[in-house]
Amino acid sequence: MINNIVKNIKTPSRKYLHLAKSRSGKLLMPPMAMGRMHEISERLCSIYESLKPEIRNSAVFVMAGDHGVVEEGVSAFPQDVTRMMFNAFLNDQATVCILAKHENTKVILSDIGSKFDTSNISQFKNEFVSKKIVNGTKNFTKEPAMTRDEAIKCIQTGAEITLNYIKKLNLDIVITGEMGIGNTTPSAAIGTVVTNSTVEEMIGKGTGLSEEGVLRKTEAIKKAISLNNPDLNNPIDILSKVGGAEIGAIAGTILAAALSKIPVIVDGFISTAAALIAYKLNPDVKEYIFAGHCSEEPGHKKMLEFLQSEPVLNLNMRLGEGTGAVLALNILKQAANMISNVPTFEEAGIIL
């Protein structure tokens, strides 16, 4: 399935991009007076193949997974917090749920690789999908995080879940989110490998590590990359050796959006690590990606530069969950509104 998705992704319409640029420059305002809103609106026209783009139905796909490398002391929080946060996501208590409700956006939580049994969860306010591929990844300082088959299944499962809800909810935009204690560590490992950065350039304090914790995290990533030797030219190899289940699933969400010819707002550091995997599978996906924000993790900027993706927002955030991407949603809505409904000088009957 993944091969079929990857090879069937098409580049957004160059014709509509040209038409949108032409219209954008003639809107009833000084030339390009709305700054980056013009570029965003033009890209939306290209993706939707319309000069009247409209964003109506949106959803945040929160992919969850745990990480064996947590036993190396790379996280400020114990792994059991992942399980605790499931209840918060499912009952509208997590921050992303509060923000998403304000934007009339669905939250869909999927268990792709948590350590905990979530198959019996039955009472919740938000959508929940239990499609566990692994019971947490392995400690990648000692062995690969996953097998190659598991990594492929994570991407495939994320794509299947997303494609199902795109059809079910008639979505015209999707948003990436995640949950998993320790997931900045595999994300930093992926970022280090793909962007050819040093580990020190890539990592930060995550959700509140001490200086000693940052040193442990640095050494764990260096050890994992040296031990597993991921192949730079093989995204599945990178994901399986130093990645995470939820990271693979997010890559699947991004691929599904591109296949469906709808935009995807990618959240922070973890989601952008997944975007790197998706991009390595098919570079055309970056044409569908809008970077919601630039997080406080040092390596996030390097990831975005690699993808040539300028963030919509920069609010010094470091939460994850999909929060920054949800905040960016309204900017995209307004960009679509602007190019759709602001008249040109000629349409307004003004001849200069």
Side-chain angles (χ1 to χ4, degrees), residues 200-211:
E200 287 82 2
E201 289 174 318
M202 191 59 53
I203 73 166
K205 294 185 177 181
T207 50
L209 271 182
S210 64
E211 292 297 329

Side-chain angles (χ1 to χ4, degrees), residues 120-145:
N120 295 322
I121 293 177
S122 58
Q123 293 185 339
F124 42 85
K125 296 178 182 178
N126 288 317
E127 299 276 338
F128 177 62
V129 180
S130 182
K131 292 281 187 180
K132 199 188 299 286
I133 306 302
V134 294
N135 291 306
T137 57
K138 301 290 195 300
N139 182 345
F140 65 21
T141 67
K142 299 175 181 177
E143 59 185 309

Side-chain angles (χ1 to χ4, degrees), residues 220-298:
I221 294 170
K222 287 181 176 179
K223 185 176 179 181
I225 293 172
S226 176
L227 173 71
N228 293 296
N229 192 27
D231 181 354
L232 172 61
N233 298 311
N234 188 330
I236 302 298
D237 193 62
I238 298 169
L239 178 64
S240 66
K241 288 179 175 176
V242 297
E246 81 276 44
I247 296 171
I250 295 167
T253 290
I254 294 167
L255 292 169
L259 179 69
S260 303
K261 302 184 76 172
I262 61 174
V264 52
I265 309 179
V266 170
D267 192 44
F269 190 59
I270 294 91
S271 285
T272 308
L276 294 177
I277 298 296
Y279 171 79
K280 294 290 282 186
L281 286 167
N282 186 331
D284 285 340
V285 301
K286 79 173 186 177
E287 304 293 336
Y288 294 88
I289 289 173
F290 290 85
H293 74 119
C294 185
S295 82
E296 283 289 89
E297 285 294 296

